[in-house]
Amino acid sequence: MSRFFTTGSDSESESSASGDETAPKAPGGPYSKPLLLSEDEEDTKRVVRSARDKRYEELTNLIRSIRNAMKIRDVSRCLEEFELLGRAWTKAKGVVDRDGVPRFYLRILADLEDYLNELWEDKEGKKKMNKNNAKALSSLRQKLRKHNRDYEGAIAAYRQNPEQSDEDEEKSRRDSEGSASSSGAEDDAGNFLKRRDREEPRGRYKEEESESESESDEDWGDSASESDSESDEDDGKFTSLASKFLKKDEERRGAERRREEKAKKKLERKSRREEEEEEEEGGEWEKVKCGVPLVKEKPKMFAKGTEITVGLVVKKLNEILQARGKKGTDRAAQIELLQHLVAVAHEHNLGVPLELKIKFNIVASLYDYNPNLAAYMKPELWQKCLGCIEELLELLFAHPEIFVGENVLEESENLSNPEQPFRVRGCVLTLVERMDEEFTKIMQNTDPHSQEYVEHLKDEARVCAIIARLQRYLQGKGSPEELCRVYLRRVLHTYYKFDYGAARRKGQVKDGAGQVKEGAGQVKEGQGKEEEKLEDEQKVKEDAQVKENEAQVKDEEEEEEDSEALMERLCRFVYAKDRTDRIRTCAILCHIYHHALHSRWYRARDLMLMSHLQDNIQHADPPVQILYNRTMVQLGICAFRQGLIKDAHNALLDIQSSGRAKELLGQGLLLRSLQERNAEQEKVEKRRQVPFHMHVNLELLECVYLVAAMLLEIPYMAAHEFDARRRMISKQFHHQLRVGERQPLLGPPESMREHVVAASKAMKTGDWRRCHRFVVNEKMNGKVWDLFPEADQVRAMLVRKIQEESLRTYLFTYSSVYDSISMETLAAMFELDLPTVHGIISKMIINEELMASLDQPTATVMMHRTEPTATQNLALQLAEKLGNLVENNERVLDQRQGAYGGYFRDQKDGGYRKGDGYLRRGGFRQERGNY
Amino acid sequence: MASRKEGSGSAGGGFGAAKGKGKAAAAGDSAVKQVQIDGLVVLKIIKHYQEEGQGNEVVQGVLLGLVVDDRLEITNCFPFPQHTEDDADFDEVQYQMEMMRSLRHVNIDHLHVGWYQSTYYGSFVTRALLDSQFSYQHAIEESVVLIYDPIKTAQGSLSLKAYRLTPKLMEVCKEKDFSPEALKKANIAYENMFEEVPIVIKNSYLINVMLWELEKKSAVADRHELLSLASSNHLGKSLQLLMDRVDEMSQDIVKYNTYLRNVSKQQQQKHQYQQRRQQENIQRQSRGEPPLPEEDINKLFKPPQPPPRMESLLIAGQINTYCQNIKEFNAQNLGKLFMAQALQDYNN
């Protein structure tokens, strides 16, 4: 077994029994086997050794692996091993205190230092190193320096005289060999004992006791046989001589301890072992944990009856955490272990801070469960996670005196000392943010039309509640930055929800008690809002809304403010305190969105204009841009509801004209661009998608846009029918019109677009009634208009707009037919009151759109014939074009002359050629006259 | 100034040539001096358009008949099917041959004497028409193209015209050289690209009798479309089309202008180069060295590609047709308007 050791010579069997060992199959993994399962196999390799022996073996093993790692320049492994070494060293402190610092230890320290310095100097090599290694290098260097400070003197001595120490070693080895030969006779006895030990491990303790007398001799034999076979290995040999003389002392101590323990505890062997393992360095624990046997052992994490202390639990926790992120770690088991640990901690009343600490780690491991960023949490885990965070917050609220921060160093944590303030490392905010992201991910990955989605959506209330609680917690003790972050979370969960409570209250105030019922009905009817598309989705949404309302009601109970005030308060804080641009931008956009959603158009618009986001949004990252797009769309819809058609059109133009509204709003991927992106991009894009319950209804969006475009474009088209240079206001609207014209057979309109096209055609002839019928009817109500919270208002606005614009169109189109027209007739035709008609016509006259004058006494419009007719218009255009043609033709002529007249003349002409064709023509005529 | 004169001269020459050509045609290979069409053919063409053509889509077909002296008698015709994108493998020649074979079985003239085409507001002077008429005339000396204007016909006066390429144009097309020089040499202008052949519609006596009968029976109101005063639509469309052509013409001229400028610039460079070379040679001579070898100057300065002028000729021809149409139409309309005014005065 201890092939690398020539020692093991001295130290008595008692103490070695206390550290009873399985043979190291591979360095670093000596305890990997669950002890009870495969005893037969292991027992063959078991041997009894002293504590000192054991420690030294540990050290030398580690040193060996460090050297190996050094050889292959694996710095990160070096670091790992060095950390283990440090821990082993502290454990071996007792032994070392007696023995003095062993040579091999000094040597590795010195070598490692040299090695690191060499690496550190080698700039080239460092560049080539991978990131992990580079990181490890610097941290290892620091650690080593810190560590070496304690042994400065010894190392210096070693450095001065490495030769001599080697000689020492030689000598000691020779000595030990000598002694070994002398005790060769006892070999048999030693072997025998070993065998027996193997055969009866359980009864070993007793035997050990009884045989303690003879043990020293046996050990001598042991060492002899081994040092003979492996004398070429020098590490560790050096110690043999010194330790030899310490044997007696060690023996006595070990025996005492042994007896003491036995008498006191009478432990089961197994539990003893576990305890021993407890004391072993933590690095070896990772191996223990993986695999099935662990699960069996798990319930007995601590020895029965062991006094569980804070330190012990923390150690345990660290051990568990060591395995985090490593390959082959069973993450589920890890989570369970941690939970068990919490239970244990709770059971033994180890204090809230410790529980907090463990819970932090549980949540973190829950997040770690999915190695893949794209994958989302399983529902059970998610519930667990929510529960855990809620408990965490509960604890935090219950114990406000505990200081929690991510900047608390591991070393400066205070978990148990009640005199000083408790300090726990961890950041609730990060955990909650992560939770929120997970929630988004879950929603993104759930089919929005399934019951499942509704189920998940119910958690939204919990998420909101958690964020609200966290906010309250942080308001007490968080820094402004943290507060900004949590406020943003809150804002992000609030901005897209329509505040029905506030709307209802407003309705009550406005309409009095009588109309409350109706208002409520309207609210229910409009509950769908723009977020849903289909009937069943409406259900989804309604459920969600109910939930949200509940959450909101809760909030309101807590905070006594509606979402408007809440948004205002949160956003104002963010505006004032935020230093990262991103949070402020998001907050502004959400604020605008919220204003727009609640029809506070002017405030929303002013905020948008003041923020100057339109100028620099293209520099923002895609999620913020998506938010911006959502906000613009909401702004446009809001303007439409207010009857501000032009503003609505302008706001929606960018999104709609691209034809990629779906993509721009993060509500789905376009199939068209599927070939253009690879799988990686697609994943990224998928992650950007907005969860379904936050969607803006695309059909509503398009309908609003098209109707707005119709109201603008039709009168414009009528006014500029003969203008050769007229521009389209909305390309998309024209496209729809053309599609409509291309239809060979026109049936009654079916889709929303067809309705709008049909309405446009009716409007073109000034037939507002038909136009109105097409825009507002059963079908369109169901598809679009009912989705607005104040649907009736919007419909009333629409009717009026249609009447007005139809009147304008009518006047543009047919003014040439009339000599005069009575305003009363017009008012009757369009069912508008006289002042409105008067206003519209006056406006048209002032804008020089309509060549007419008003005759006050008879209330008639007198048309003036100043506009050229269609044919005249054409003739004018033709004349212009012919002028152009002639000019071009003359240029050709000039060229001819230029060719004869010389190059320079041509050049000179070139200077003033542009734009003075008439002059030149005059000149030309003169020339001809002269001719 | 000189060029101006030249231009007008050429135009005058063109007129002269047109007159001369008439004689030449008469004196020369006779070709065709008159087209005699059966009423049947006219009706078939009208029917074909009414059933298949719409808007500015064009229908085409084959004319059958025979040549008698210098008179081309068209006695029958059959339509081409409309082309669609999806049956690209449709074999026109095959179709024609089979049609003619089948018609021969029912004892119909099967001599291919040309083709007919409908037109949209008189826009038929195109490259496609030129090319196909050229190939017809190249293969069958006597062939004509009948242009049927459905819109004018709908207004009450049958518009059917027979055209042939002038021999000059035939020459040019055969050469396939449409550079400005070639066209100038051929003395071709838009006026003398096509010659119109007079048309006579001939029916059997029985049909004539019946027509007389019918005329007596038909009410006066049936023929009122001739008197329709609504003019703006037709005029507008024509103007629109005319404008488009004018635009095209402008572009063409600009193109030609650029070419001319390039040529003159190059000429300049060539000139300078030659002068420099000369001076150098003189210096060398004075120094007693041998002169530099003469290089091919055309290799150094590649002349720019002259733009083909056939397009602009065609456009000019088209513009001419439009103008004629508009003139005709307006003259009629003015007459009608005066009539209407007189009637109103009379009534008042």
Side-chain angles (χ1 to χ4, degrees):
Chain A
M1 71 139 295
S2 56
R3 272 193 300 138
F4 312 119
F5 278 67
T6 53
T7 51
S9 54
D10 41 8
S11 61
E12 51 299 276
S13 56
E14 275 129 346
S15 56
S16 77
S18 73
D20 82 353
E21 285 246 21
T22 54
K25 277 181 155 175
Y31 311 109
S32 63
K33 289 287 170 181
L35 299 169
L36 283 177
L37 284 181
S38 48
E39 280 203 29
D40 293 345
E41 182 196 308
E42 274 162 44
D43 285 352
T44 56
K45 286 171 184 169
R46 187 168 295 131
V47 81
V48 182
R49 278 182 299 125
S50 70
R52 179 180 174 279
D53 226 1
K54 199 162 62 86
R55 300 282 173 240
Y56 278 1
E57 183 186 324
E58 242 172 57
L59 289 177
T60 36
N61 268 344
L62 287 170
I63 286 168
R64 262 178 60 82
S65 43
I66 288 179
R67 285 201 190 281
N68 280 341
M70 275 161 71
K71 259 179 226 153
I72 58 168
R73 295 183 136 235
D74 186 350
V75 186
S76 52
R77 186 161 170 79
C78 251
L79 175 65
E80 238 168 72
E81 297 291 344
F82 180 74
E83 273 166 6
L84 294 184
L85 181 67
R87 235 170 280 153
W89 181 248
T90 21
K91 256 185 224 152
K93 202 83 177 167
V95 182
V96 171
D97 282 347
R98 290 196 299 269
D99 295 5
V101 183
R103 297 295 297 186
F104 62 86
Y105 190 68
L106 287 180
R107 179 184 303 173
I108 188 64
L109 288 184
D111 285 356
L112 198 56
E113 196 175 346
D114 291 343
Y115 174 70
L116 286 182
N117 282 339
E118 184 193 323
L119 276 186
W120 191 256
E121 299 304 321
D122 182 11
K123 297 276 189 245
E124 279 299 301
K126 233 164 74 178
K127 254 176 234 162
K128 269 184 234 154
M129 235 183 257
N130 66 32
K131 221 166 112 196
N132 268 347
N133 272 352
K135 222 160 125 196
L137 175 61
S138 53
S139 62
L140 178 56
R141 191 158 164 269
Q142 264 175 355
K143 277 195 179 144
L144 187 67
R145 221 184 261 166
K146 210 162 131 197
H147 188 82
N148 282 5
R149 214 172 295 145
D150 299 338
Y151 308 100
E152 245 167 333
I155 291 173
Y158 166 77
R159 274 180 201 276
Q160 268 182 355
N161 206 353
E163 297 301 317
Q164 188 237 315
S165 53
D166 279 349
E167 270 170 37
D168 275 359
E169 226 166 9
E170 281 303 294
K171 206 167 70 188
S172 75
R173 198 178 60 195
R174 246 175 279 129
D175 280 356
S176 71
E177 268 169 14
S179 60
S181 62
S182 73
S183 60
E186 270 121 355
D187 260 4
D188 279 0
N191 285 343
F192 171 67
L193 190 94
K194 255 197 270 178
R195 218 177 303 127
R196 260 184 55 185
D197 197 32
R198 246 176 267 141
E199 282 158 9
E200 295 176 343
R202 279 172 200 277
R204 210 171 55 193
Y205 299 139
K206 278 176 207 152
E207 282 169 24
E208 275 159 11
E209 220 177 352
S210 64
E211 281 165 11
S212 59
E213 306 293 77
S214 61
E215 262 161 15
S216 68
D217 289 342
E218 286 158 28
D219 273 330
W220 282 109
D222 222 290
S223 88
S225 59
E226 272 157 24
S227 57
D228 277 339
S229 56
E230 320 253 12
S231 55
D232 52 340
E233 184 63 48
D234 32 10
D235 282 348
K237 273 180 209 156
F238 170 63
T239 54
S240 57
L241 184 63
S243 48
K244 201 163 68 183
F245 301 112
L246 286 165
K247 188 179 83 179
K248 279 285 179 308
D249 187 27
E250 185 80 15
E251 183 183 352
R252 212 174 303 127
R253 276 171 53 99
E256 263 167 31
R257 195 166 131 218
R258 166 94 272 124
R259 241 166 263 129
E260 203 175 57
E261 268 175 4
K262 279 193 75 167
K264 257 193 201 164
K265 292 176 185 168
K266 296 277 182 202
L267 288 176
E268 251 182 37
R269 186 164 160 276
K270 178 174 160 275
S271 56
R272 269 189 60 87
R273 281 189 190 189
E274 278 176 16
E275 194 192 349
E276 300 291 346
E277 275 167 12
E278 267 301 324
E279 287 163 16
E280 297 301 335
E281 81 280 1
E284 321 246 305
W285 264 90
E286 69 182 82
K287 299 278 167 39
V288 177
K289 260 180 268 113
C290 62
V292 191
L294 169 90
V295 184
K296 276 190 204 155
E297 277 185 60
K298 176 200 68 198
K300 290 172 184 163
M301 194 172 285
F302 295 102
K304 228 182 241 169
T306 318
E307 196 188 338
I308 294 169
T309 62
V310 171
L312 211 56
V313 175
V314 169
K315 209 192 257 170
K316 181 84 189 163
L317 175 66
N318 283 338
E319 281 156 12
I320 295 172
L321 291 183
Q322 285 270 319
R324 195 180 152 185
K326 280 186 186 152
K327 233 191 208 167
T329 314
D330 182 353
R331 290 180 293 266
Q334 199 182 1
I335 292 165
E336 284 198 22
L337 268 178
L338 283 170
Q339 267 169 342
H340 184 66
L341 204 59
V342 172
V344 168
H346 193 71
E347 214 175 289
H348 292 82
N349 245 339
L350 289 181
V352 182
L354 186 65
E355 269 181 62
L356 266 181
K357 185 172 169 63
I358 301 172
K359 279 195 172 141
F360 270 126
N361 284 313
I362 293 178
V363 179
S365 342
L366 280 170
Y367 292 148
D368 275 348
Y369 189 77
N370 273 325
N372 190 347
L373 202 62
Y376 62 103
M377 265 190 189
K378 284 187 210 138
E380 317 87 81
L381 278 179
W382 167 245
Q383 292 300 339
K384 213 185 264 180
C385 177
L386 276 182
C388 224
I389 291 177
E390 272 167 358
E391 281 170 30
L392 241 175
L393 284 170
E394 203 83 54
L395 278 177
L396 284 176
F397 269 106
H399 302 275
E401 75 280 0
I402 299 170
F403 181 83
V404 177
E406 52 186 334
N407 300 328
V408 177
L409 288 178
E410 201 101 22
E411 291 86 59
S412 62
E413 269 186 333
N414 176 15
L415 301 175
S416 53
N417 190 348
E419 284 99 57
Q420 284 163 4
F422 290 117
R423 290 162 71 85
V424 177
R425 180 184 166 84
C427 181
V428 220
L429 179 57
T430 322
L431 291 184
V432 172
E433 277 181 341
R434 183 73 200 273
M435 172 200 74
D436 194 24
E437 276 159 29
E438 288 293 340
F439 178 66
T440 313
K441 238 188 266 175
I442 290 175
M443 296 319 277
Q444 280 170 353
N445 283 295
T446 315
D447 173 18
H449 308 295
S450 63
Q451 196 59 32
E452 214 180 325
Y453 196 85
V454 185
E455 292 300 318
H456 286 316
L457 205 54
K458 284 178 184 162
D459 289 335
E460 217 261 347
R462 274 177 90 185
V463 172
C464 286
I466 286 175
I467 292 175
R469 289 181 74 186
L470 176 68
Q471 177 199 340
R472 250 174 297 136
Y473 177 73
L474 285 179
Q475 266 164 354
K477 40 183 61 182
S479 67
E481 283 82 15
E482 284 175 322
L483 264 180
C484 280
R485 275 161 67 190
V486 73
Y487 278 4
L488 180 68
R489 287 290 150 187
R490 189 82 198 276
V491 164
L492 283 175
H493 274 280
T494 314
Y495 79 97
Y496 63 90
K497 294 171 189 162
F498 189 76
D499 189 350
Y500 289 100
R504 207 176 304 146
R505 276 199 297 281
K506 215 176 272 171
Q508 280 168 357
V509 173
K510 220 190 269 171
D511 308 334
Q515 280 180 315
V516 172
K517 244 178 224 166
E518 193 193 303
Q522 192 183 323
V523 164
K524 204 165 259 170
E525 187 183 66
Q527 196 133 45
K529 278 215 44 46
E530 39 277 1
E531 275 91 344
E532 76 276 271
K533 294 167 181 169
L534 299 169
E535 229 26 67
D536 61 323
E537 290 158 40
Q538 195 138 4
K539 243 191 305 173
V540 173
K541 189 60 200 177
E542 250 160 324
D543 269 8
Q545 289 280 10
V546 170
K547 279 280 150 195
E548 281 160 20
N549 279 359
E550 275 173 24
Q552 229 144 8
V553 166
K554 226 187 276 167
D555 263 9
E556 276 162 14
E557 279 164 9
E558 285 164 9
E559 309 216 0
E560 286 299 317
E561 61 183 347
D562 51 23
S563 67
E564 178 188 356
L566 177 71
M567 288 291 289
E568 187 77 23
R569 194 166 54 81
L570 298 182
C571 290
R572 270 183 195 283
F573 183 84
V574 173
Y575 301 156
K577 292 280 160 54
D578 176 55
R579 294 221 176 72
T580 69
D581 222 21
R582 193 176 182 277
I583 292 181
R584 189 171 43 226
T585 309
C586 287
I588 291 178
L589 287 173
C590 293
H591 202 177
I592 297 170
Y593 189 101
H594 193 258
H595 276 319
L597 192 60
H598 294 84
S599 299
R600 293 187 288 272
W601 156 253
Y602 288 103
R603 285 171 70 187
R605 186 200 59 183
D606 291 348
L607 204 52
M608 177 57 94
L609 293 177
M610 273 193 301
S611 65
H612 292 286
L613 278 175
Q614 278 148 313
D615 308 330
N616 49 24
I617 194 69
Q618 64 268 25
H619 304 306
D621 49 354
V624 179
Q625 288 192 10
I626 286 176
L627 184 59
Y628 172 80
N629 289 340
R630 284 166 58 76
T631 305
M632 282 312 283
V633 162
Q634 198 57 248
L635 209 56
I637 294 174
C638 171
F640 183 79
R641 283 194 307 242
Q642 308 286 305
L644 304 161
I645 302 300
K646 199 155 189 152
D647 291 308
H649 181 265
N650 288 344
L652 298 180
L653 183 65
D654 282 341
I655 305 290
Q656 280 291 319
S657 62
S658 65
R660 297 186 301 148
K662 205 171 160 196
E663 201 179 2
L664 291 176
L665 292 174
Q667 297 186 177
L669 306 175
L670 283 187
L671 288 176
R672 177 165 52 79
S673 49
L674 208 58
Q675 303 91 347
E676 292 161 27
R677 56 167 182 248
N678 51 35
E680 192 56 39
Q681 277 171 308
E682 193 176 329
K683 255 185 221 157
V684 173
E685 274 176 45
K686 274 220 176 105
R687 228 173 295 148
R688 279 187 209 134
Q689 298 304 306
V690 177
F692 183 74
H693 60 283
M694 297 163 72
H695 279 193
V696 176
N697 188 333
L698 289 176
E699 186 163 27
L700 172 91
L701 172 64
E702 192 179 356
C703 180
V704 164
Y705 175 75
L706 284 179
V707 170
M710 174 185 88
L711 290 174
L712 292 174
E713 185 85 72
I714 297 290
Y716 181 83
M717 275 164 72
H720 297 84
E721 208 183 342
F722 305 119
D723 193 343
R725 270 189 286 270
R726 88 180 141 127
R727 302 247 175 279
M728 289 184 246
I729 295 177
S730 158
K731 261 198 184 134
Q732 224 213 347
F733 177 69
H734 274 270
H735 176 72
Q736 294 301 342
L737 279 187
R738 252 175 281 134
V739 168
E741 273 165 24
R742 236 178 283 149
Q743 226 88 79
L745 261 177
L746 264 184
E750 291 281 335
S751 69
M752 177 273 295
R753 286 179 197 159
E754 284 168 4
H755 271 101
V756 176
V757 169
S760 308
K761 277 188 187 148
M763 193 190 240
K764 251 187 207 166
T765 58
D767 187 348
W768 75 269
R769 277 194 189 82
R770 256 180 66 215
C771 178
H772 176 222
R773 269 208 306 281
F774 281 129
V775 173
V776 182
N777 55 27
E778 277 300 302
K779 254 184 208 162
M780 291 290 272
N781 277 346
K783 269 180 190 154
V784 181
W785 306 126
D786 283 345
L787 298 182
F788 285 125
E790 58 269 29
D792 289 330
Q793 262 164 272
V794 173
R795 277 190 282 259
M797 179 279 294
L798 261 178
V799 175
R800 195 173 162 81
K801 284 280 165 197
I802 287 174
Q803 285 168 339
E804 287 175 9
E805 295 305 325
S806 298
L807 169 62
R808 273 162 54 83
T809 314
Y810 184 81
L811 284 177
F812 283 134
T813 317
Y814 297 113
S815 65
S816 57
V817 183
Y818 287 100
D819 268 329
S820 66
I821 185 167
S822 153
M823 280 201 282
E824 273 171 46
T825 319
L826 283 176
M829 270 172 79
F830 293 94
E831 285 181 16
L832 288 163
D833 49 353
L834 204 57
T836 319
V837 175
H838 186 268
I840 291 171
I841 292 175
S842 305
K843 216 180 205 172
M844 286 168 77
I845 292 172
I846 288 172
N847 290 341
E848 298 187 336
E849 291 170 328
L850 185 68
M851 293 303 154
S853 57
L854 283 172
D855 188 45
Q856 204 67 47
T858 54
T860 47
V861 190
M862 312 295 294
M863 302 294 172
H864 299 191
R865 296 265 167 259
T866 50
E867 282 287 288
T869 62
T871 322
Q872 283 166 333
N873 249 324
L874 280 174
L876 284 173
Q877 282 176 36
L878 178 62
E880 197 177 314
K881 292 204 162 149
L882 282 173
N884 247 338
L885 176 65
V886 170
E887 196 171 315
N888 280 332
N889 218 358
E890 276 173 21
R891 251 178 237 173
V892 175
L893 210 59
D894 280 354
Q895 202 76 46
R896 279 277 162 80
Q897 291 170 333
Y900 298 123
Y903 181 68
F904 296 104
R905 195 202 119 114
D906 200 34
Q907 286 289 76
K908 201 173 64 192
D909 272 4
Y912 62 91
R913 186 159 281 170
K914 252 191 199 156
D916 53 1
Y918 173 74
L919 254 182
R920 291 191 322 108
R921 225 174 300 159
F924 174 72
R925 275 198 206 103
Q926 269 178 3
E927 252 179 300
R928 193 166 58 168
N930 292 342
Y931 196 77
Chain B
M1 217 60 272
S3 71
R4 175 78 188 178
K5 214 170 71 182
E6 194 178 88
S8 66
S10 84
F15 281 123
K19 277 177 218 141
K21 183 223 65 189
K23 274 176 237 154
D29 46 59
S30 82
V32 186
K33 281 183 76 183
Q34 194 187 35
V35 177
Q36 179 185 314
I37 310 177
D38 261 24
L40 170 74
V41 175
V42 179
L43 290 177
K44 266 179 111 171
I45 291 172
I46 294 172
K47 184 161 171 278
H48 182 199
Y49 175 80
Q50 230 138 33
E51 281 171 0
E52 303 237 352
Q54 38 168 289
N56 50 8
E57 257 176 68
V58 157
V59 298
Q60 291 176 329
V62 173
L63 298 173
L64 301 171
L66 63 157
V67 185
V68 180
D69 299 332
D70 57 355
R71 193 179 69 220
L72 180 68
E73 292 182 4
I74 302 171
T75 56
N76 214 327
C77 67
F78 62 87
F80 276 147
Q82 284 293 20
H83 280 286
T84 44
E85 244 83 276
D86 35 79
D87 53 9
D89 54 346
F90 173 73
D91 192 348
E92 272 182 44
V93 180
Q94 182 74 17
Y95 169 78
Q96 278 187 37
M97 298 318 281
E98 264 171 32
M99 267 315 267
M100 276 151 71
R101 204 174 301 134
S102 308
L103 287 173
R104 193 165 53 187
H105 290 314
V106 289
N107 215 6
I108 286 173
D109 283 330
H110 55 269
L111 196 62
H112 202 164
V113 293
W115 58 299
Y116 69 86
Q117 189 198 312
S118 73
T119 175
Y120 178 70
Y121 286 106
S123 47
F124 60 89
V125 190
T126 59
R127 189 61 188 254
L129 181 115
L130 177 74
D131 286 347
S132 72
Q133 178 59 19
F134 168 71
S135 59
Y136 264 101
Q137 236 169 297
H138 194 63
I140 306 158
E141 174 63 44
E142 302 84 12
S143 39
V144 293
V145 53
L146 274 186
I147 303 292
Y148 163 66
D149 190 337
I151 291 156
K152 255 196 206 166
T153 310
Q155 280 168 344
S157 53
L158 174 67
S159 165
L160 200 61
K161 286 188 171 140
Y163 287 99
R164 281 172 56 80
L165 299 187
T166 57
K168 263 192 210 166
L169 193 60
M170 284 298 288
E171 290 289 310
V172 175
C173 286
K174 244 180 247 173
E175 301 284 319
K176 290 214 185 317
D177 180 10
F178 300 126
S179 65
E181 282 75 25
L183 290 181
K184 198 170 150 194
K185 212 172 84 197
N187 206 5
I188 273 241
Y190 67 90
E191 298 95 336
N192 50 14
M193 288 166 70
F194 294 94
E195 55 176 342
E196 196 185 330
V197 190
I199 289 179
V200 179
I201 297 178
K202 191 166 189 282
N203 286 320
S204 73
Y205 296 116
L206 281 176
I207 291 176
N208 282 338
V209 169
M210 190 182 76
L211 282 176
W212 281 113
E213 294 253 319
L214 282 176
E215 191 164 18
K216 256 190 226 160
K217 279 184 189 164
S218 66
V220 179
D222 289 352
R223 280 166 287 168
H224 272 180
E225 65 225 326
L226 250 183
L227 296 175
S228 158
L229 287 175
S231 61
S232 63
N233 196 17
H234 189 253
L235 191 60
K237 272 271 162 38
S238 299
L239 280 173
Q240 200 81 52
L241 287 165
L242 178 58
M243 254 187 289
D244 291 349
R245 287 297 99 70
V246 169
D247 270 347
E248 276 173 34
M249 188 66 152
S250 271
Q251 281 167 14
D252 222 58
I253 286 174
V254 169
K255 235 184 265 170
Y256 186 61
N257 202 9
T258 342
Y259 159 71
L260 282 182
R261 199 174 307 152
N262 286 346
V263 168
S264 80
K265 215 177 267 172
Q266 203 176 50
Q267 208 74 38
Q268 202 71 29
Q269 282 170 345
K270 226 191 251 184
H271 194 65
Q272 279 175 355
Y273 175 80
Q274 274 169 334
Q275 274 186 337
R276 226 181 305 128
R277 179 54 65 88
Q278 228 168 3
Q279 274 177 349
E280 214 167 309
N281 275 347
I282 290 168
Q283 278 178 355
R284 274 168 169 270
Q285 236 168 12
S286 64
R287 270 177 283 161
E289 290 169 36
L292 287 169
E294 285 291 321
E295 283 161 50
D296 188 5
I297 214 155
N298 282 337
K299 259 185 199 161
L300 278 171
F301 300 97
K302 247 201 178 137
Q305 193 67 36
R309 296 295 291 159
M310 194 37 119
E311 285 302 316
S312 52
L313 263 186
L314 283 171
I315 294 169
Q318 183 64 65
I319 290 177
N320 191 30
T321 348
Y322 282 143
C323 288
Q324 297 296 340
N325 272 349
I326 292 171
K327 211 168 81 186
E328 215 174 286
F329 181 79
N330 281 354
Q332 287 175 7
N333 253 20
L334 275 178
K336 280 189 268 184
L337 284 174
F338 277 124
M339 255 159 65
Q341 197 182 19
L343 271 175
Q344 212 158 16
D345 287 346
Y346 176 77
N347 283 346
N348 289 343

